[in-house]
Amino acid sequence: MIDRVKRDRVIIEPFRIKAVEPIRMTTGEERAALIEAADFNLFALKSDDVLIDLLTDSGTSAMSAVQQAALLSGDESYAGSPSFFRFEAAVKDLMPFKHVLPTHQGRAAEAILFSLLGGAGRKVPSNNHFDTTRGNIEATGAAAHDLVIAEGLDSESLHPFKGNMDLVRLEAFLTQHGAAVPCVMLTVTNNAGGGQPVSLANIRGVAEIARHHGRPFIIDGCRFAENAYFIKQREAGQGDRPVKDIVRDIFGEADGMTMSAKKDAFANIGGWLALNDDALAQAARSRLILTEGFPTYGGLAGRDLDAIAQGLREIIDENYLRYRLRTCAYIGERLTALGVPIVKPTGGHAVFLDARRMLPHIPPLEYPGQPLAVALYVEGGIRSCEIGTVMFGARPDGSEAPAAMDLVRLAIPRRVYTQSHADYVVEVFEDLVADKNNLSGYRIHWQPAAMRHFTAKFRPLQAA
Ligand SMILES: *Cc1c(COP(=O)(O)O)cnc(C)c1O
């Protein structure tokens, strides 16, 4: 040992690169023309015209060599494929539920679940419902309620588990609405609340309250491994436990789960619904056959089931998870040092920029997230996602109101980018910060009736 003084070394990407995908380089001038042709909507860009794509971490993971090999062992039999049994065993190894139904995405699992549990007058509490979960609940006539702790709504709070459910409010909610509540949901990590984790103690608390009121407890487990590693790092008594044991404890508390394999299963497509209740699972299987497929493939090809099975073995690798959470923390620390306001602490899968605080000269109804996202693209070829008044500001009657916050999300695809990509992103911010007072707002020139952020056309307002 040469160095007597122990230094904290850089946490390296815990993988080597075996297959590469070239990035098509563009200039700022080209990008300025491309975004104008896209009516200043980043969803309308071709991904070939993006250098660093941080639009989402969903379905964008890099598969490992072993996962690629698993694709070839996929068995495409209609019924009873061994791929299904490998998938089912891998899920049950981490999440000990009795019934596992493969679906093509997380939202298909939600649609099946709430076609059975939803309905007019029903009320479903969660910490924060993800937008597809909310959509699937509301589509049945039921209502989705968010009961996250107060710290979860404060972008400056450094609470270690800002995704926690407010147990006092949950207890009161169930006491008041008990009969109208078909299940209690909990999203780990809390995506809509900034990718913030939920503690094991809180998960146990939710389970106990749900049990006491005789209501099933369903976990939206999309980022379960990131959540488990936060528990290991931050929760008293958990630091020496294997992540796999923590994962099993999390799901051991629940009666079922919905999952998007496009997140913490390293897959490009897929999901599942898992349940313990035999009658509910039987009803779900009947729906699955109608809308997705036969129960041993659901909405997936055999090869996808094998990629998920292998992905689940890889996602709980603690070297990977340490690197994964460090990536967001590293970008967050460097942006904070530049004076860029972000949601703190950084979550597991993304860094959220507070555009309203960064660009106080742009009022919410001129969409401060939009000029920031456009500037990131023109300046650096970086694609991000506005999560603010563009996404949430339209009301059914055609009027508009500012969203609670105007955020821009930099979502980090799993195992795709290296530290030099992260350093590049930070460098682009150095230039943006110097120039931020020259950014001006946008108006919406055209928008559809619903989900306007995907297809709206924008026009820049003149610089002040
Ligand atoms: C992505 C996501 C979903 C929906 O999954 P899809 O595979 O995109 O349909 C549900 N809940 C959370 C928390 C998610 O992040």
Side-chain angles (χ1 to χ4, degrees):
M1 297 292 276
I2 301 168
D3 50 343
R4 297 257 167 78
V5 189
K6 195 159 165 16
R7 285 184 294 130
D8 277 340
R9 296 213 173 104
V10 166
I11 295 173
I12 61 171
E13 287 84 7
F15 47 80
R16 298 184 297 183
I17 295 165
K18 181 170 266 187
V20 298
E21 192 177 5
I23 293 173
R24 195 181 82 78
M25 292 298 184
T26 48
T27 64
E29 253 171 36
E30 287 168 334
R31 293 190 295 265
L34 289 164
I35 194 69
E36 189 173 351
D39 292 297
F40 302 95
N41 187 329
L42 291 125
F43 284 100
L45 289 172
K46 293 182 177 148
S47 59
D48 274 354
D49 295 331
V50 175
L51 300 190
I52 312 261
D53 204 344
L54 308 183
L55 186 66
T56 176
D57 67 320
S58 177
T60 52
S61 301
M63 284 209 273
S64 68
V66 181
Q67 273 182 298
Q68 296 278 359
L71 294 180
L72 265 186
S73 33
D75 180 305
E76 306 302 342
S77 303
Y78 192 93
S81 160
S83 298
F84 171 76
F85 296 106
R86 289 190 283 266
F87 158 81
E88 185 188 40
V91 173
K92 288 187 174 182
D93 188 39
L94 295 177
M95 295 114 177
F97 295 112
K98 212 165 152 193
H99 306 279
V100 183
L101 286 66
T103 60
H104 79 280
Q105 285 197 212
R107 67 197 66 186
E110 295 164 354
I112 291 171
L113 182 67
F114 291 107
S115 72
L116 301 170
L117 296 183
R122 299 272 168 97
K123 296 171 190 295
V124 183
S126 185
N127 43 358
N128 285 112
H129 290 280
F130 182 65
D131 55 11
T132 60
T133 323
R134 177 180 302 282
N136 274 301
I137 290 169
E138 291 176 351
T140 71
H145 294 264
D146 292 338
L147 303 180
V148 72
I149 56 170
E151 290 88 339
L153 301 172
D154 172 3
S155 67
E156 286 292 297
S157 163
L158 293 176
H159 191 290
F161 293 104
K162 285 170 78 172
N164 279 358
M165 182 90 87
D166 187 328
L167 298 180
V168 175
R169 285 171 71 203
L170 179 65
E171 175 66 47
F173 189 87
L174 283 166
T175 303
Q176 191 183 347
H177 304 294
V181 179
C183 67
V184 175
M185 295 269 317
L186 187 70
T187 317
V188 302
T189 58
N190 192 21
N191 185 5
Q196 300 292 332
V198 182
S199 72
L200 190 53
N202 191 259
I203 292 167
R204 290 189 167 131
V206 172
E208 198 183 308
I209 292 172
R211 236 184 338 261
H212 178 244
H213 288 268
R215 305 289 122 188
F217 172 31
I218 309 288
I219 293 179
D220 175 343
C222 294
R223 295 181 183 79
F224 70 92
E226 290 168 9
N227 199 97
Y229 201 73
F230 275 122
I231 288 173
K232 182 175 173 116
Q233 285 182 327
R234 297 181 181 174
E235 192 159 348
Q238 301 297 324
D240 294 327
R241 302 187 60 214
V243 158
K244 184 173 178 180
D245 290 0
I246 298 174
V247 170
R248 290 182 64 92
D249 282 1
I250 291 172
F251 292 101
E253 294 293 329
D255 302 297
M257 73 179 293
T258 56
M259 177 73 187
S260 169
K262 302 173 75 172
K263 322 291 171 49
D264 272 2
F266 282 135
N268 301 123
I269 196 75
W272 65 85
L273 171 64
L275 294 164
N276 280 336
D277 186 87
D278 294 335
L280 188 59
Q282 188 46 51
R285 237 178 235 118
S286 299
R287 304 279 326 173
L288 185 80
I289 292 172
L290 277 181
T291 59
E292 293 282 294
F294 190 74
T296 60
Y297 70 86
L300 294 169
R303 66 177 75 93
D304 300 321
L305 294 167
D306 270 303
I308 293 169
Q310 178 57 27
L312 287 177
R313 286 191 276 279
E314 296 175 9
I315 201 82
I316 56 167
D317 174 356
E318 299 189 13
N319 289 314
Y320 160 74
L321 288 169
R322 184 190 307 120
Y323 140 82
R324 171 74 176 158
L325 300 193
R326 180 62 198 148
T327 303
C328 292
Y330 173 78
I331 296 171
E333 282 163 19
R334 294 206 50 199
L335 293 183
T336 301
L338 290 176
V340 176
I342 63 165
V343 176
K344 291 176 188 158
T346 44
H349 70 290
V351 178
F352 289 76
L353 312 164
D354 190 334
R356 196 178 290 172
R357 278 171 56 215
M358 182 168 171
L359 306 174
H361 60 288
I362 302 179
L365 292 181
E366 294 179 11
Y367 320 118
Q370 201 60 24
L372 179 55
V374 169
L376 277 169
Y377 176 68
V378 173
E379 199 60 50
I382 300 161
R383 179 154 66 171
S384 56
C385 186
E386 194 267 5
I387 301 196
T389 303
V390 175
M391 193 179 272
F392 301 121
R395 289 178 168 167
D397 67 1
S399 69
E400 271 196 306
M405 291 197 272
D406 275 295
L407 304 179
V408 171
R409 184 181 72 180
L410 307 175
I412 315 295
R414 294 169 183 75
R415 303 192 295 206
V416 170
Y417 294 113
T418 65
Q419 184 169 348
S420 82
H421 291 115
D423 288 335
Y424 170 86
V425 169
V426 173
E427 283 173 15
V428 171
F429 273 94
E430 284 169 12
D431 296 339
L432 268 185
V433 167
D435 196 42
K436 67 180 177 145
N437 292 332
N438 293 324
L439 296 180
S440 59
Y442 281 81
R443 67 184 170 84
I444 292 180
H445 167 70
W446 177 86
Q447 61 182 322
M451 306 289 265
R452 67 178 182 178
H453 54 289
F454 289 125
T455 53
K457 298 176 196 278
F458 297 88
R459 293 288 180 268
L461 298 164
Q462 291 310 318

